[in-house]
Amino acid sequence: MMNLSEMNTLQQLLYYYRENAGYVFEQFTRHFLISIYGVLFAAIVAIPLGFWIARHKKLADWIIGAANVIQTIPSLALLSILMLGLGLGSDTVIATVFLYSLLPIIKNTYTGVRNVDTALLDTGKGMGMTRLQLTYMVELPLSLSVIMAGLRNALVVAIGITAIGTFIGAGGLGDIISRGVNATNGTAIILAGAIPTALMAVLADWLLGLLEKRLDPSSKVTSKH
């Protein structure tokens, strides 16, 4: 049998996957869950906030500006700040992902709602629809594809941020990359963590992109003709 040191990088990579398949899958799942939790929590806050500032335009610049400021903080610095209050582990990474996800979701929700045709809103009002009915039956369906684009951007960024969670003991695919960096000949181990991370980001972007197109009202009109 060939010695590990005699294998090329591809052979070492395949060997690593074969010997550590369970561990890689466990870290992949953990990585994905940390990313998705952070984005979902952000969506719960950011989507209603986006609708609210779309109706209170004077506050929009302030709130979007505050979310912009968060984006300027380096991810490692933000992790370190949050770690002081939340300690080590996945909770701190989820909180970091949450904060970074606010801007794209708030901004896209605001843009989507503001771009809804006012004539449709006036028609709804003329039919006696309440503000809540206008929100759920007119504004939300028409702005959903734009909101989905914000969620898509947030999730792709979140997957990258979660990779550095290894530095505070959060686990995820960053752990595998970190082991490769610390190994003597760790190129294959680095790739073993980097490839699934990249695949996760590409698949998330592609799947949410498909969903975004399906939710786009203009694409439904086009398909009917």
Side-chain angles (χ1 to χ4, degrees), residues 13 18 39 63 72 80-81 99-100 105 107 109 113-114 127-128 135 142-143 160 169-170 172 195 200 202:
L13 176 63
R18 188 169 66 248
V39 174
I63 291 172
T72 64
S80 301
I81 293 166
L99 290 172
Y100 274 113
I105 301 174
K107 203 168 183 179
T109 303
V113 176
R114 292 292 298 178
M127 293 169 64
T135 298
L142 292 176
S143 60
I195 290 172
M200 189 190 300
V202 170

Side-chain angles (χ1 to χ4, degrees), residues 33-49 90-102 105-106 151 154-155 158:
L33 288 175
I34 290 172
S35 303
I36 202 77
Y37 281 148
V39 174
L40 283 176
F41 290 145
I44 290 168
V45 173
I47 292 174
L49 191 56
S90 57
D91 287 350
T92 302
V93 184
I94 291 171
T96 303
V97 169
F98 166 85
L99 290 172
Y100 274 113
S101 299
L102 289 174
I105 301 174
I106 290 172
L151 288 168
L155 184 56

Side-chain angles (χ1 to χ4, degrees), residues 181-222:
V181 170
N182 295 324
T184 308
N185 293 308
T187 304
I189 303 175
I190 293 171
L191 289 172
I195 290 172
T197 305
L199 282 174
M200 189 190 300
V202 170
L203 280 172
D205 184 59
W206 178 66
L207 289 171
L208 289 179
L210 288 177
L211 186 57
E212 180 188 332
K213 286 178 183 176
R214 286 181 66 87
L215 294 170
D216 188 353
S218 62
S219 67
K220 292 176 185 176
V221 172
T222 305

Side-chain angles (χ1 to χ4, degrees), residues 48-57 60 109-114 139:
L49 191 56
F51 272 88
W52 187 71
I53 62 173
R55 299 190 183 100
H56 301 82
K57 200 169 180 295
T109 303
Y110 171 77
T111 303
V113 176
R114 292 292 298 178
E139 290 176 321

Side-chain angles (χ1 to χ4, degrees), residues 62-183:
W62 289 94
I63 291 172
I64 292 172
N68 258 316
V69 169
I70 295 170
Q71 289 279 346
T72 64
I73 304 171
S75 48
L76 271 175
L78 190 56
L79 273 173
S80 301
I81 293 166
L82 293 174
M83 189 176 64
L84 298 174
L86 297 173
L88 299 172
S90 57
D91 287 350
T92 302
V93 184
I94 291 171
T96 303
V97 169
F98 166 85
L99 290 172
Y100 274 113
S101 299
L102 289 174
L103 178 63
I105 301 174
I106 290 172
K107 203 168 183 179
N108 277 50
T109 303
Y110 171 77
T111 303
V113 176
R114 292 292 298 178
N115 286 340
V116 173
D117 191 346
T118 52
L120 293 172
L121 296 174
D122 291 338
T123 301
K125 288 175 186 175
M127 293 169 64
M129 295 174 73
T130 64
R131 168 52 69 183
L132 195 61
Q133 287 174 325
L134 284 171
T135 298
Y136 283 100
M137 297 174 70
V138 181
E139 290 176 321
L140 182 59
L142 292 176
S143 60
L144 201 52
S145 65
V146 183
I147 295 170
M148 187 57 64
L151 288 168
R152 176 183 171 189
N153 292 338
L155 184 56
V156 171
V157 171
I159 290 166
I161 293 169
T162 301
I164 64 171
T166 183
F167 295 114
I168 60 166
L173 292 166
D175 268 16
I176 301 173
I177 297 170
S178 180
R179 289 186 183 201
V181 170
N182 295 324

